[in-house]
Amino acid sequence: MDIQTTGLVGVLLMRPARFGDSRGFFSESWNRKTLENSGIDLPEFVQDNHSMSSAVGTVRGLHFQAPPHAQGKLVRCGRGRIFDVAVDARRSSPTYGQWYGEELSFDNGCQLWIPAGFLHGFMTLAPDSEIIYKCTDHYAPECDGSVHWDSCGIEWPLKGITPAISEKDGNAQQFSAFDTPFDFEG
């Protein structure tokens, strides 16, 4: 597995090896031992989520789950293409408010590890894009929150479109008004 650090401490880009032939390919998308052998020890995953967005330009996020049920997420694209984004929301972090984005697609097989303490969102770049992600804590509605998708200076790849968003995401707070529940632990 190819593992790369990003400009945000803790956020990792992972590309599992694919072994293919005329029939297709095989890929081990998650293996704790492989990561530990690379010096990476991720928390235990307790829930897998799968969502599909029909329209190109759908934006979901920027979502978070506050402590005591903060979630880390290992995100991949099972079909189509997405631009996946993490925003550092950890108070006192040297990269607080900065973002990292990466295209995840079925074709490139990349995954993004987003630890607890980050906002997460994505924009679909192809129709019927499926997002599959592992979470380190169960969904807790009382801890669920969101920040407006266009309030963090993210350079979304599709310009000049009106993205398809949910009512919840459309009414989300601005990042400038966000009182983060997350602290940076160095």
Side-chain angles (χ1 to χ4, degrees), residues 82-93:
I82 65 170
F83 183 70
D84 204 55
V85 177
V87 179
D88 192 343
R90 301 168 299 172
R91 184 181 291 109
S92 301
S93 166

Side-chain angles (χ1 to χ4, degrees), residues 3-165:
I3 303 168
Q4 300 172 19
T5 58
T6 67
L8 302 179
V9 174
V11 176
L12 301 172
L13 179 64
M14 302 179 191
R15 181 172 292 139
R18 285 186 173 176
F19 305 94
D21 59 25
S22 62
R23 300 167 297 163
F25 72 84
F26 170 82
S27 180
E28 198 171 74
S29 61
W30 164 250
N31 185 311
R32 180 173 299 282
K33 186 183 282 187
T34 298
L35 290 175
E36 287 174 350
N37 289 341
S38 296
I40 297 170
D41 185 23
L42 299 183
E44 178 183 355
F45 294 112
V46 299
Q47 178 177 316
D48 280 7
N49 296 337
H50 184 162
S51 76
M52 194 277 293
S53 297
S54 312
V56 171
T58 297
V59 172
R60 294 183 190 254
L62 301 165
H63 299 151
F64 68 92
Q65 197 163 281
H69 297 289
Q71 290 180 326
K73 298 174 181 175
L74 181 60
V75 184
R76 64 187 174 99
C77 183
R79 177 173 59 163
R81 293 174 34 235
I82 65 170
F83 183 70
D84 204 55
V85 177
V87 179
D88 192 343
R90 301 168 299 172
R91 184 181 291 109
S92 301
S93 166
T95 56
Y96 178 80
Q98 294 180 27
W99 62 274
Y100 175 81
E102 188 70 44
E103 183 175 310
L104 308 181
S105 70
F106 170 80
D107 290 335
N108 71 23
C110 290
Q111 301 180 79
L112 198 60
W113 163 245
I114 304 170
F118 287 80
L119 308 177
H120 173 246
F122 62 87
M123 173 183 271
T124 58
L125 305 177
D128 299 323
S129 290
E130 294 185 15
I131 296 81
I132 302 163
Y133 56 103
K134 301 176 119 15
C135 299
T136 60
D137 205 324
H138 298 282
Y139 175 67
E142 69 279 10
C143 297
D144 186 44
S146 61
V147 170
H148 205 270
W149 67 275
D150 70 350
S151 67
C152 297
I154 297 167
E155 294 177 24
W156 297 100
L158 300 180
K159 311 255 189 275
I161 66 159
T162 301
I165 59 173

